[in-house]
């Protein structure tokens, strides 16, 4: 029976969603692993109407069951002043019950991001997303330098996670190195989850 790995993201311009799909492709290269794509809903200072139960496009919204049922988690957000975007932080702030019950403890996790500029906070955003995952007791997985593209990329990609340089107007497509590293991260996350399950 396949195990589900939750690929959870917030994406406004679509760049982070593209990375999510590449990570999902890498996950599904590992036998017995299935990627479950989910997104968090947007937030606003004043809520005038409730969000529809399903988004107009993209992956479905995440539920508590997605967290409980996943064997691992890949989490992504665009950069907002060197940090994760508010909708993802808002979602994580509401996972106190999962923290108290250890829902995610011992499960592997990875992070990914997209920025408009080269030095727009990719690494600090990746690190900011790791902090709540550590509080949940998750086991962080990055990209090792055994991945050749990590040494040659001139756009996104770091040992902390997959990333994409989208351009100020989101005009840049995902580079070949960014694609390679995103898929490698998904594959590595799935492989670690499979090994942990086999030794449980």
């Amino acid at each position: 029976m396949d195990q589900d790995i939750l690929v959870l993201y917030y994406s406004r311009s679509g760049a982070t969603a593209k990375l999510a799909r590449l990570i999902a492709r890498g996950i599904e290269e590992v036998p017995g692993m299935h990627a479950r794509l989910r997104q968090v809903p947007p937030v606003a200072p004043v809520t005038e109407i409730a969000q529809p139960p399903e988004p107009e496009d993209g992956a479905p919204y995440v539920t508590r069951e997605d967290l409980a049922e996943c064997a691992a988690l890949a989490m992504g957000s665009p950069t907002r002043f060197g940090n994760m975007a508010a909708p993802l932080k808002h979602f994580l702030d509401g996972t106190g019950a999962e923290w108290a019950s250890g829902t995610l403890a011992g499960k592997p996790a990875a992070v990914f991001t997209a920025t408009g500029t080269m030095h727009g906070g990719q690494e600090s955003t990746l690190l900011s997303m790791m902090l709540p995952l550590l509080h949940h007791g998750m086991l962080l997985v990055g990209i090792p330098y055994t991945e050749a593209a990590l040494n040659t990329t001139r756009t996104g990609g770091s040992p902390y996670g997959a990333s994409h340089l989208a351009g100020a107007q989101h005009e840049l497509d995902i580079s070949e190195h960014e694609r390679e590293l995103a898929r490698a991260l998904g594959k590595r996350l799935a492989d670690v989850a499979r090994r942990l399950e086999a030794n449980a």
Side-chain angles (χ1 to χ4, degrees):
M1 181 177 177
D2 283 2
Q3 287 185 288
D4 274 12
I5 293 182
L6 178 60
V7 182
L8 176 63
Y9 66 92
Y10 173 70
S11 186
R12 189 160 179 190
S13 68
T16 309
K18 287 178 186 176
L19 273 181
R21 290 190 291 273
L22 288 165
I23 289 168
R25 192 178 304 169
I27 288 167
E28 296 194 343
E29 289 177 20
V30 176
M33 293 296 165
H34 172 73
R36 184 186 297 193
L37 282 161
R38 295 290 185 269
Q39 61 179 315
V40 297
V43 294
V46 178
T47 303
E48 296 178 3
I49 58 171
Q51 288 292 331
E54 294 296 329
E56 292 180 12
D57 58 6
Y61 290 137
V62 66
T63 66
R64 305 260 178 225
E65 291 74 22
D66 292 321
L67 294 176
E69 294 168 2
C70 73
L73 169 66
M75 190 171 74
S77 170
T79 292
R80 296 291 184 266
F81 300 107
N83 206 325
M84 74 181 91
L88 184 58
K89 180 67 164 62
H90 179 74
F91 171 76
L92 289 170
D93 285 348
T95 59
E98 286 74 21
W99 168 79
S101 63
T103 298
L104 296 172
K107 296 179 181 181
V111 291
F112 58 100
T113 191
T115 59
T117 59
M118 177 66 82
H119 302 290
Q122 287 189 1
E123 291 186 349
S124 61
T125 299
L126 294 170
L127 291 168
S128 79
M129 288 188 287
M130 290 179 182
L131 298 177
L133 302 182
L134 286 168
H135 277 262
H136 274 284
M138 300 197 83
L139 311 173
L140 295 174
V141 173
I143 302 173
Y145 276 92
T146 51
E147 292 295 335
L150 203 55
N151 291 294
T152 53
T153 181
R154 294 292 176 262
T155 52
S158 86
Y160 309 114
S163 59
H164 167 50
L165 173 62
Q169 304 300 318
H170 317 293
E171 73 278 10
L172 301 176
D173 196 12
I174 295 181
S175 73
E176 194 53 46
H177 286 149
E178 290 172 340
R179 288 176 190 278
E180 190 176 328
L181 291 168
R183 287 178 68 179
L185 181 62
K187 188 173 181 179
R188 187 160 191 254
L189 179 64
D191 187 57
V192 170
R194 182 178 58 83
R195 289 169 187 260
L196 286 171
E197 179 63 24
N199 294 315

